[in-house]
């Protein structure tokens, strides 16, 4: 597997309950417990990149494949794109995810195309926009259903690290100067951080991934720039 070019990340402001990142540029870090059977995110750098949110997510182990077998990654990251609990997901428990406008679900999956063939293993990413009528992660509109095989312009892998571009151009997606990031590991406390928003004046200087050549940011190597995939008509996930 080819290694991706070096990631250039800006320093991002983390909230008080985020694990100390030292001199690194991480948005948050998480120390997995002995009870975490599935791969979990242990180091994340997230920020605006043009009209996308760029993400570098390092897992404690490979997020999909033979190593994790039936217990591969099943991670959800929430973005409260206007840092307001008044819009977005409305949990009855008023948990930390309340107010999230985007849910990014990352799963290691196996797809059986034919009974006489081995399964196709891949990393699947679903992006949902959550309105005030959504009371769970499964609510809201499915904006994208991606995988690392068919969508190399959006997803790239380098060992345990996932590089991801999430489209933030939906007209109904709130924008502000700050974005709240929430990661709630299974059985653990939620980790929160604050990053620059799309109106923060730094969307062109934020997380930069998929560098190919001089100054060409935001495109994966060898990805077809004309290629675009959207969820099938009527597919709400």
């Amino acid at each position: 597997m080819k290694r991706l070019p070096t990631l250039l990340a800006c320093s991002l402001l983390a909230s008080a309950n985020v694990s100390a990142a030292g001199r690194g540029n991480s948005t948050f870090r998480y120390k997995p417990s002995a009870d975490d059977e599935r791969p979990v995110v242990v180091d994340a750098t997230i920020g605006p990149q043009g009209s996308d949110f760029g993400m570098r997510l390092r897992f404690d182990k490979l997020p999909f494949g033979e190593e994790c077998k039936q217990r591969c990654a099943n991670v959800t990251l929430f973005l409260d794109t206007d840092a307001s609990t008044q819009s977005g997901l409305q949990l009855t428990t008023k948990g930390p995810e309340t107010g999230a406008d985007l849910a990014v679900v990352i799963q290691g999956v196996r797809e059986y195309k034919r009974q006489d063939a081995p399964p196709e293993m891949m990393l699947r990413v679903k992006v949902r926009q959550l309105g005030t009528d959504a009371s769970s992660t499964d609510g809201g509109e499915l904006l994208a259903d991606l995988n690392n095989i068919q969508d190399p312009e959006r997803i790239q892998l380098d060992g345990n690290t996932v590089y991801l571009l999430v489209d933030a151009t939906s007209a109904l997606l709130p924008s502000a100067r700050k974005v709240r990031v929430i990661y709630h590991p299974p059985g653990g406390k939620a980790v929160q951080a604050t990053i620059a928003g799309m109106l923060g004046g730094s969307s062109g200087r934020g997380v930069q991934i998929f560098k190919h050549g001089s100054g060409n940011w935001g495109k994966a190597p060898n990805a077809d720039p004309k290629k675009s995939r959207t969820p099938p008509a009527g597919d709400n996930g």
Side-chain angles (χ1 to χ4, degrees):
M1 181 182 297
K2 292 183 178 180
R3 295 187 62 82
L4 289 180
T6 303
L7 173 70
L8 173 62
C10 64
S11 295
L12 302 173
L13 177 64
S15 61
N17 62 333
V18 177
S19 300
R23 296 184 180 180
N25 296 324
S26 301
T27 301
F28 68 80
R29 290 181 178 175
Y30 169 70
K31 185 177 181 179
S33 69
D35 297 330
D36 290 322
E37 296 182 1
R38 293 180 181 270
V40 295
V41 177
V42 294
D43 190 294
T45 302
I46 302 171
Q49 179 175 325
S51 59
D52 300 309
F53 284 107
M55 300 185 178
R56 181 196 65 186
L57 309 173
R58 183 165 61 85
F59 286 78
D60 61 332
K61 44 196 169 188
L62 290 173
F64 75 101
E66 286 296 339
E67 183 177 309
C68 55
K69 299 187 183 298
Q70 302 297 327
R71 303 291 292 173
C72 293
N74 189 4
V75 163
T76 302
L77 294 173
F78 295 90
L79 299 182
D80 182 357
T81 57
D82 60 354
S84 170
T85 58
Q86 301 304 308
S87 63
L89 179 65
Q90 299 298 308
L91 293 177
T92 56
T93 58
K94 300 301 180 183
E97 295 87 354
T98 297
D101 303 291
L102 282 179
V104 182
V105 183
I106 304 165
Q107 297 174 314
V109 300
R110 296 178 174 221
E111 287 194 359
Y112 291 86
K113 303 288 187 180
R114 294 166 27 201
Q115 290 185 347
D116 59 343
E120 188 172 52
M121 292 173 285
M122 67 184 73
L123 195 73
R124 187 178 189 183
V125 177
K126 285 188 175 185
V127 181
R128 292 183 179 277
Q129 182 171 337
L130 306 171
T132 53
D133 57 340
S135 58
S136 71
T137 309
D138 294 330
E141 178 187 359
L142 182 66
L143 297 182
D145 189 349
L146 313 169
N147 66 70
N148 65 293
I149 298 175
Q150 295 176 283
D151 303 282
E153 73 281 6
R154 288 280 164 185
I155 306 172
Q156 287 279 301
L157 305 172
D158 183 9
N160 292 9
T161 303
V162 175
Y163 295 84
L164 177 63
L165 286 174
V166 175
D167 190 346
T169 57
S170 171
L172 299 179
L173 188 66
S175 296
R177 296 180 64 85
K178 296 294 182 181
V179 172
R180 196 165 53 95
V181 178
I182 308 99
Y183 173 48
H184 205 154
K189 293 183 179 180
V191 177
Q192 299 187 63
T194 301
I195 63 174
M198 289 297 175
L199 300 184
S202 62
S203 62
R205 303 190 305 274
V207 176
Q208 303 291 333
I209 61 177
F210 298 168
K211 185 177 181 181
H212 184 55
S214 176
N216 188 9
W217 294 104
K219 294 180 181 179
N222 304 320
D224 182 356
K226 298 180 181 180
K227 181 174 173 289
S228 176
R229 292 178 67 242
T230 55
D235 183 0
N236 195 35

